[in-house]
């Protein structure tokens, strides 16, 4: 029956989300992506209404496949020296979060089975948000400018807080990501505080260096001015001596 199909699909998605929480390395994500992508050509099962089928397909294409593709590229980019690609992954993860929201509030309205399919998308939104935080933390820990690092850190905190809020609002008691979300928020807030302190220390050091250079320049100018006055005095005295003779 259609109810049984939807129940199987929800169970599958729960297992996928659980697997990503346990291990999201390149091998696991690659295998999951291959399996889910192979179902893209699947035809609508007999007896399944178009509204439920729409949620089914959009959840695979716009949520799970995009999430896995972004994660694979994220893992590849994390080994590079430049953080710029990681910021691209943040954009991709944000697209997944938006897709989860669209499915939940859009396609599922008035359709009980579609709503059940859509509701479980929140788990994938949480993973996407936490991977946004991970990407931002990697950028914040790079050798980029202070502004880029602090901006990434702030964005990571916002994503982690969003994930925590979604987890706390979940009807399932004791969500598997609750402690991880809380730890991520705490860690990123600590990193942000450390970066702000280090930036201030560096700026203060730069101000001290600039002040010392300014003081040295003024001292050199004063010495030159004194020598000029001294030389002019010597010349004046020499002229007066010549006149007396």
């Amino acid at each position: 029956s259609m109810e049984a199909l939807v129940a199987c699909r929800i169970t599958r998605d729960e297992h996928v989300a659980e697997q990503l929480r346990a291990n999201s390395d390149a091998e696991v994500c690659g295998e999951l992506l291959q399996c889910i992508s192979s179902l893209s050509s699947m035809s609508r099962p007999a007896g399944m209404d178009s509204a439920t089928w729409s949620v089914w397909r959009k959840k695979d294409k716009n949520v799970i496949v995009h999430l896995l593709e972004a994660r694979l590229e994220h893992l590849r980019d994390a080994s590079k020296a430049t953080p710029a690609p990681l910021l691209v992954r943040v954009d991709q993860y944000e697209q997944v979060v938006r897709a989860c929201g669209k499915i939940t509030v859009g396609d599922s309205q008035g359709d009980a089975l579609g709503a059940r399919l859509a509701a479980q998308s929140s788990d994938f939104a949480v993973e996407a948000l936490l991977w946004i935080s991970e990407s931002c933390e990697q950028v914040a820990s790079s050798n980029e400018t202070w502004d880029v690092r602090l901006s990434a850190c702030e964005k990571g905190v916002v994503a982690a807080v969003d994930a925590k809020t979604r987890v706390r609002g979940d009807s399932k008691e004791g969500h598997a990501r609750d402690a991880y979300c809380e730890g991520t928020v705490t860690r990123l807030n600590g990193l942000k505080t450390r970066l702000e302190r280090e930036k201030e220390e560096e700026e203060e050091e730069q101000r001290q260096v600039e002040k010392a250079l300014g003081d040295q320049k003024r001292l050199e100018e004063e010495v030159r001015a004194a020598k000029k006055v001294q030389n002019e005095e010597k010349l004046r005295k020499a002229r007066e001596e010549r006149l007396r003779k």
Side-chain angles (χ1 to χ4, degrees):
S1 67
M2 186 164 69
E3 289 84 356
L5 275 174
V6 170
C8 288
R9 168 60 193 273
I10 291 171
T11 300
R12 187 207 78 175
D13 289 352
E14 287 175 346
H15 284 314
V16 170
E18 183 179 355
Q19 178 62 64
L20 292 177
R21 286 193 292 268
N23 184 356
S24 59
D25 65 18
E27 184 178 355
V28 169
C29 289
E31 289 176 355
L32 288 172
L33 179 60
Q34 185 176 8
C35 292
I36 293 170
S37 296
S38 66
L39 299 174
S40 60
S41 58
M42 175 180 170
S43 301
R44 175 158 62 100
M48 179 173 286
D49 62 83
S50 59
T52 303
W53 181 241
S54 176
V55 178
W56 182 302
R57 295 299 300 273
K58 286 183 178 180
K59 191 174 177 184
D60 264 358
K61 180 181 178 182
N62 298 339
V63 175
I64 304 177
V65 168
H66 281 186
L67 181 64
L68 291 170
E69 287 176 342
R71 182 59 176 171
L72 284 168
E73 291 170 354
H74 175 184
L75 293 171
R76 181 198 65 205
D77 295 336
S79 62
K80 296 181 179 179
T82 173
L86 292 171
L87 297 175
V88 175
R89 300 312 143 231
V90 168
D91 291 339
Q92 288 180 309
Y93 288 140
E94 288 176 336
Q95 289 173 19
V96 172
V97 175
R98 287 193 292 271
C100 290
K102 287 178 181 178
I103 290 175
T104 301
V105 302
D107 299 312
S108 62
Q109 290 181 349
D111 174 52
L113 289 173
R116 287 178 60 198
L117 268 176
Q120 200 270 332
S121 296
S122 64
D123 280 344
F124 295 110
V126 167
E127 292 310 303
L129 287 164
L130 289 174
W131 289 340
I132 287 173
S133 295
E134 182 182 316
S135 298
C136 289
E137 185 173 3
Q138 289 166 337
V139 173
S141 302
S142 70
N143 293 323
E144 269 290 350
T145 64
W146 287 116
D147 287 344
V148 169
R149 296 171 70 186
L150 282 167
S151 175
C153 203
E154 289 168 1
K155 193 179 190 72
V157 170
V158 170
V161 169
D162 190 356
K164 184 176 74 169
T165 302
R166 290 168 187 259
V167 165
R168 295 285 170 87
D170 199 295
S171 60
K172 291 179 285 185
E173 185 177 351
H175 194 285
R177 277 306 203 196
D178 192 2
Y180 187 86
C181 288
E182 184 65 39
T184 301
V185 172
T186 301
R187 188 176 65 255
L188 282 170
N189 275 325
L191 177 58
K192 181 173 178 286
T193 299
R194 179 173 65 81
L195 290 177
E196 288 172 339
R197 184 180 67 251
E198 290 177 354
K199 179 186 179 185
E200 178 59 30
E201 290 173 351
E202 184 176 290
E203 289 175 345
E204 177 59 28
E205 183 180 340
Q206 183 63 29
R207 284 193 291 269
Q208 293 296 331
V209 169
E210 289 173 357
K211 182 178 182 300
L213 290 174
D215 291 345
Q216 182 179 352
K217 183 177 180 181
R218 282 191 296 274
L219 180 60
E220 290 172 350
E221 288 173 350
E222 289 172 0
V223 169
R224 283 196 296 270
K227 285 183 177 179
K228 182 179 179 182
V229 170
Q230 188 180 38
N231 289 334
E232 288 174 349
E233 182 64 17
K234 285 181 179 179
L235 290 172
R236 185 184 63 80
K237 289 180 178 180
R239 283 196 299 270
E240 291 176 352
E241 183 67 26
R242 284 196 300 271
L243 289 171
R244 281 196 297 267
K245 293 180 178 179

